[in-house]
Amino acid sequence: MGAESFLAMRGIDKRFGDVRALNDVDFELEAGEIHALLGVNGAGKSTLIKILSGVYSKDAGSIRIDGEEFALGSPRAAIEAGIAVVQQHPELVGDLTGAENIFLGQEHRRSGLFSPVNGQDIRRRAAALLERFPIDVDLDRAVDDMPAVDREIVAILHALRLENARILILDEPTSTLTEREKESLFEMMQTLKAQGLAIIYITHHLDEVFEIADRFTVFRGGRRVATHGVAEAQREGISIPNLMLDSVAGDIFPPRSDRVDGEVVFEARDLSRQGEFEDVSFSARKGEILGIFGLVGSGVDELSKALFGVLRPDSGELHLNGRRVRFRSPAQALKAGIFLVPGDRRTEGLSMDENVIFNTTVANLGRASLGGFMRFGRNRRDSGALAERVDLQPRKLDRPLRGYSGGNQQKVVIAKGLYREADVYIFVEPTVGVDIGARAKIYTLMRELSDRAAVIVISSDCDEVFGVADRTVALYKGAPIGAPSREITRDHLLHAGIMGEAV
Amino acid sequence: MTTNTLFIRILAFGAIVAIIAGLFWSQNPAFLSTGNIRALMRHMSVNGVAALGLTFVIVVRHFDLSFPGVASFGAMTMGWLIAGGQPLWMAISGGLAVGLLFGIFNGIAVARFKLPDIVTTIATGGLAIGFSYFYSNGTSISRNFFMSGLLDINDGRFLGLDRPFAILLGAALIGILILNASRFGRAFYATGENETAAWYSGVPVNAMVVAAFALCGLCACLSVVLLVASSGAANVSAGTQLLMPAFAAVYLGAALFGRPSVLATLAGTMLMSLMLNGFTLLAIPYYYSDAIVSTVLILAITCFDPRISGALRRLIPARKEKLA
């Protein structure tokens, strides 16, 4: 049968109850290749990865690595087969050094209750590992003191600490990294690739695919839709979003607004906070979306919190509907008519163990109750209507948020904002970890909201800010580059945000 | 929780009660006699009221270990006021005020100043026990008790129920209205579930934590009023027996109903009292009861722990697993 691929998965089937998560899937991977897995949430890419890493067992099909058949029924079997997995949010021990984390649980070469942990030995083994994979990282620092990218590198080295590792799986490794950190991670991936490792790489960022991957495979509805070489896809103009979505998606951004004279609702004047942002001024109008682009660490996160009363600005003024306002807490900002869709929905936006109704109504308990008592029937109806409006999938109001995908969790945060009926909506990183179908819906909702409220989107994704907002401005090291304008092109915005260059 | 699963859980609880009652009844038919059932409800009342208050603290994901000590101080304060010839309502109010003040103090220390709840409440509990010695150098107080009408709280009846049990039901009804039907209840749960998200949603999280501790102190002192009324004397160790049954009731209830709530706590209290009463009837020495309560507490915590329940769920094949 000719030259077989290094990893060959054939006819893989996996069912969960009535749902066919994987349907006769073939997948091939070569040594020394970076292979991106693409697909909306639920398309089957995670299921495939979990079968490969031994978390799920396949219902049918065969897996051959280097010509040898493997069953891979357990994580242990997968490790023995040379498959190394780095989870999306790797668990590291913050107080221990990078090297100690890498060899956690394997400090001893000889087992024995009383054999002392040998720090020197661990450092020597870490050095040996770095010799195999030459990467510029200081493994003697505590993990808590490391930048996010070094933590990711430690997690990868942890996965690769076994000599036999030959397939590396990275699940959205760039989701917490800044643009520059991403580059160092990509450098590391190139190094590993040069060592002959086969790398599978899951991402939601399509631009990364062209930057780092050699080939990509697209999943949709449990089937493999296509595998292409990146060069080939570029040459032939293959549209990945079209492959990922059932219908031809076209542009995921709604059309721009041509309303320019909407009344000013929310205004910032020379807002500053020491070491975080300075002299930020903007006005947000009804009828249009204001976009603020800034990388992680540029002060956008702190700015959004200062607008919502979480942080207090050192100087400058906020004006809401023509009146000066000062917020000492989010409660005051909410009361004044501002709603924040926070950047980290899991820790700042939602009660993950509570259901859709609870989360939808919690930011407006006054509306949800009468004389202090909850209006259960009415809240259910209102939540149901809002769930329909944001297109929640599946629309199960009693299901805890934990049971929803990232995109649908974000829709619940937006439903919560709609229930609040605010005058100003601030969206921070609104589509992190959100699949492309839900992204399009979220952008449409933002556009709808802008009809009757001021909408501000703050994001480290330049295309998102440029695509959805009418007027944009970039924040670079805390300082706005120019004033918000309709005339800024995507390239100018990108340059302003990444290098601080004015037009 | 949907009405449907709630219904199933109530059925399951009923079944457990029936099995336990059946077992004890088969060993000793007196278990289901009117007299014993009344004794059981009386026993439930003291522990139930204390557990009710603790429920709020557990809902906001904190711990209060001070309430037994605070209850002792409340008992001695009330006793001292009665002995000093104050009217009964004044004496009871004084006892309850002690609970409220200590609760507020605990709450401010934990919520505003972010002190660790366990250590802080151990300390305030110790402080309260120390204070309870002030009135009589530690001897028990019972002067004027008979004349004051305090004992009527234990002996009287209300709508055909023993008065302590009526008080428990009344307190539970108020608790259900607050925690499970009002907007404040939502705020308590939101605070416990995810404090940051609650704060971002405009919930006054610090105030909710203070309120939870205040209710816990108040309920502890109310429960000790019932206890003193039944024993006829106030002493400095009155509250110490409240700790374990209250925690066991809250956690047992949470294990049965999936989360802490007033109804769950009532159910937990009832199971605890059933077992303790049953073992007493079987003439198992009283000093084993602490061990029994502790065993139940450990089992309940085990079931309530998400890691354990998650592991149990994993034992059932991946049929309902969410598609990643």
Side-chain angles (χ1 to χ4, degrees):
Chain A
M1 63 185 264
E4 195 185 51
S5 293
F6 180 62
L7 166 71
M9 301 175 81
R10 298 242 172 274
I12 305 291
D13 262 346
K14 179 69 187 172
R15 278 174 177 283
F16 295 100
D18 300 333
V19 182
R20 207 158 176 190
L22 285 180
N23 191 346
D24 193 19
V25 166
D26 295 345
F27 179 73
E28 287 173 355
L29 180 71
E30 302 297 344
E33 172 190 38
I34 298 178
H35 197 130
L37 288 194
L38 305 169
V40 300
N41 288 337
K45 55 187 195 305
S46 298
T47 310
L48 187 82
I49 291 312
K50 284 184 175 150
I51 286 176
L52 203 51
S53 53
V55 178
Y56 298 156
S57 51
K58 59 188 187 312
D59 294 341
S62 75
I63 301 172
R64 295 167 74 83
I65 303 174
D66 210 4
E68 193 185 341
E69 174 96 28
F70 283 91
L72 300 184
S74 69
R76 195 193 177 89
I79 290 169
E80 278 164 7
I83 295 167
V85 189
V86 180
Q87 302 297 339
Q88 194 174 352
H89 301 288
E91 304 275 338
L92 298 172
V93 184
D95 289 338
L96 297 185
T97 66
E100 284 166 340
N101 265 287
I102 292 171
F103 296 105
L104 198 63
Q106 304 197 324
E107 289 88 350
H108 311 294
R109 293 179 183 230
R110 277 167 299 144
S111 57
L113 188 56
F114 297 106
S115 48
V117 173
N118 186 338
Q120 216 142 40
D121 185 42
I122 287 177
R123 269 200 293 280
R124 203 160 44 233
R125 283 155 74 193
L129 198 61
L130 284 183
E131 215 164 282
R132 255 174 79 206
F133 307 112
I135 294 147
D136 180 26
V137 60
D138 179 6
L139 294 179
D140 290 330
R141 283 169 77 185
V143 165
D144 268 349
D145 300 335
M146 288 184 175
V149 66
D150 285 6
R151 268 176 279 179
E152 190 69 37
I153 288 173
V154 167
I156 293 173
L157 289 174
H158 174 80
L160 294 175
R161 70 195 187 282
L162 299 174
E163 303 265 325
N164 70 342
R166 46 189 175 169
I167 295 173
L168 175 67
I169 299 172
L170 299 174
D171 191 353
E172 289 200 52
T174 57
S175 58
T176 56
L177 303 186
T178 64
E179 207 62 40
R180 207 167 324 141
E181 289 180 324
K182 215 188 269 180
E183 293 306 321
S184 358
L185 178 73
F186 287 169
E187 267 171 43
M188 172 176 192
M189 287 168 67
Q190 295 289 5
T191 309
L192 299 179
K193 173 182 154 180
Q195 300 287 316
L197 271 179
I199 302 176
I200 297 176
Y201 168 58
I202 296 184
T203 184
H204 279 302
H205 296 278
L206 303 187
D207 51 334
E208 289 177 5
V209 175
F210 291 101
E211 205 173 327
I212 186 74
D214 301 304
R215 287 197 295 170
F216 63 86
T217 291
V218 180
F219 286 84
R220 189 173 74 209
R223 291 173 185 274
R224 191 192 65 161
V225 181
T227 299
H228 290 291
V230 166
E232 165 205 3
Q234 257 166 339
R235 207 168 46 236
E236 295 174 15
I238 293 169
S239 158
I240 299 179
N242 285 355
L243 290 172
M244 288 167 69
L245 291 174
D246 278 329
S247 51
V248 178
D251 201 346
I252 61 168
F253 297 110
R256 297 248 167 120
S257 150
D258 45 16
R259 236 175 102 187
V260 291
D261 55 348
E263 57 182 291
V264 173
V265 181
F266 191 43
E267 206 179 340
R269 293 185 193 158
D270 300 323
L271 217 55
S272 299
R273 195 175 140 90
Q274 179 75 41
E276 287 169 350
F277 52 85
E278 55 183 87
D279 293 335
V280 178
S281 299
F282 61 78
S283 50
R285 296 164 187 275
K286 250 179 211 172
E288 61 169 18
I289 298 175
L290 173 70
I292 301 175
F293 163 59
L295 300 176
V296 175
S298 66
V300 282
D301 191 44
E302 291 80 3
L303 174 65
S304 70
K305 293 189 158 115
L307 298 177
F308 191 58
V310 178
L311 298 176
R312 261 181 260 181
D314 297 331
S315 64
E317 298 177 4
L318 288 174
H319 291 256
L320 183 64
N321 293 320
R323 250 191 272 147
R324 173 141 195 219
V325 286
R326 287 190 188 85
F327 304 132
R328 285 200 307 275
S329 68
Q332 291 183 351
L334 278 167
K335 204 166 175 192
I338 297 178
F339 187 84
L340 177 80
V341 176
D344 186 346
R345 62 180 163 269
R346 299 178 76 85
T347 60
E348 298 164 348
L350 296 168
S351 298
M352 300 300 288
D353 284 332
E354 301 289 350
N355 65 21
V356 176
I357 302 174
F358 184 102
N359 277 288
T360 305
T361 54
V362 71
N364 198 351
L365 290 173
R367 181 178 167 191
S369 60
L370 185 67
F373 290 103
M374 299 301 289
R375 313 165 82 162
F376 290 104
R378 213 182 117 128
N379 293 341
R380 175 172 288 274
R381 277 197 304 281
D382 289 350
S383 302
L386 288 174
E388 189 173 341
R389 174 146 178 229
V390 301
D391 191 28
L392 185 69
Q393 297 290 344
R395 213 172 302 148
K396 296 243 161 61
L397 299 181
D398 292 308
R399 178 184 285 197
L401 268 284
R402 204 170 286 291
Y404 280 97
S405 68
N408 284 296
Q409 289 169 359
Q410 189 72 321
K411 288 176 184 171
V412 174
V413 180
I414 295 174
K416 176 175 162 182
L418 291 171
Y419 190 74
R420 182 74 218 185
E421 294 181 321
D423 294 331
V424 180
Y425 287 90
I426 304 169
F427 290 82
V428 181
E429 306 282 2
T431 58
V432 169
V434 168
D435 68 66
I436 197 160
R439 275 178 73 173
K441 181 67 194 174
I442 287 169
Y443 294 141
T444 310
L445 284 165
M446 285 160 75
R447 177 55 72 196
E448 284 170 26
L449 270 174
S450 72
D451 270 351
R452 56 171 186 78
V455 175
I456 303 173
V457 57
I458 298 176
S459 171
S460 60
D461 179 346
C462 182
D463 287 325
E464 173 169 277
V465 172
F466 182 75
V468 75
D470 302 305
R471 276 188 307 137
T472 55
V473 67
L475 211 61
Y476 178 75
K477 292 189 176 167
I481 306 302
S485 152
R486 286 179 175 253
E487 314 302 329
I488 297 174
T489 65
R490 180 191 169 281
D491 285 356
H492 282 142
L493 189 64
L494 191 65
H495 277 99
I498 290 178
M499 286 170 294
E501 290 168 2
V503 179
Chain B
M1 194 188 300
T2 61
T3 14
N4 207 6
T5 54
L6 181 65
F7 184 65
I8 291 169
R9 285 176 190 274
I10 290 175
L11 276 187
F13 168 69
I16 294 174
V17 170
I19 290 168
I20 294 178
L23 280 175
F24 283 125
W25 178 71
S26 68
Q27 297 301 309
N28 185 347
F31 186 74
L32 289 183
S33 67
T34 325
N36 191 50
I37 288 175
R38 277 179 66 183
L40 204 154
M41 295 200 305
R42 223 176 255 277
H43 185 262
M44 254 185 88
S45 309
V46 173
N47 289 336
V49 171
L52 221 52
L54 184 64
T55 308
F56 285 85
V57 174
I58 301 295
V59 164
V60 296
R61 305 271 163 102
H62 278 290
F63 285 96
D64 187 351
L65 297 174
S66 74
F67 69 88
V70 172
S72 295
F73 186 34
M76 293 305 280
T77 304
M78 180 179 73
W80 178 72
L81 288 170
I82 293 176
Q86 299 293 336
L88 183 62
W89 65 268
M90 178 93 112
I92 291 178
S93 306
L96 297 183
V98 163
L100 202 59
L101 288 176
F102 266 88
I104 291 172
F105 182 81
N106 282 334
I108 291 175
V110 170
R112 175 73 185 79
F113 295 102
K114 308 286 173 219
L115 301 185
D117 48 7
I118 293 181
V119 181
T120 305
T121 54
I122 286 177
T124 52
L127 196 66
I129 288 189
F131 284 160
S132 67
Y133 279 78
F134 277 1
Y135 300 113
S136 62
N137 287 326
T139 57
S140 67
I141 303 176
S142 59
R143 192 151 69 87
N144 283 349
F145 271 33
F146 192 70
M147 302 298 295
S148 67
L150 177 69
L151 307 189
D152 292 344
I153 293 179
N154 185 56
D155 302 333
R157 291 174 73 84
F158 181 77
L159 295 179
L161 294 167
D162 286 321
R163 214 178 255 175
F165 193 66
I167 289 174
L168 171 65
L169 290 186
L173 188 66
I174 295 171
I176 286 176
L177 288 179
I178 295 177
L179 192 57
N180 299 102
S182 83
R183 55 178 297 182
F184 305 107
R186 287 301 165 100
F188 278 119
Y189 280 110
T191 302
E193 184 81 52
N194 183 343
E195 197 175 312
T196 310
W199 193 53
Y200 275 60
S201 302
V203 173
V205 289
N206 285 355
M208 299 324 290
V209 173
V210 174
F213 276 98
L215 286 171
C216 186
L218 184 70
C219 285
C221 284
L222 180 60
S223 99
V224 92
V225 168
L226 302 182
L227 192 67
V228 171
S230 80
S231 70
N235 58 60
V236 290
S237 61
T240 46
Q241 52 178 300
L242 295 175
L243 181 69
M244 206 92 81
F247 269 98
V250 174
Y251 275 89
L252 188 58
L256 285 170
F257 285 84
R259 67 183 331 186
S261 69
V262 171
L263 205 63
T265 296
L266 276 187
T269 310
M270 185 167 172
L271 280 183
M272 293 301 307
S273 294
L274 266 183
M275 283 186 278
L276 286 174
N277 175 285
F279 288 123
T280 315
L281 274 191
L282 297 186
I284 292 171
Y286 71 92
Y287 40 79
Y288 284 131
S289 70
D290 263 358
I292 293 166
V293 175
S294 306
T295 309
V296 172
L297 178 56
I298 289 174
L299 287 175
I301 294 170
T302 312
C303 298
F304 187 51
D305 191 304
R307 283 167 303 175
I308 307 281
S309 51
L312 290 176
R313 223 171 290 140
R314 245 171 279 133
L315 287 178
I316 304 163
R319 176 177 294 265
K320 282 186 177 171
E321 216 157 335
K322 186 181 80 76
L323 294 183

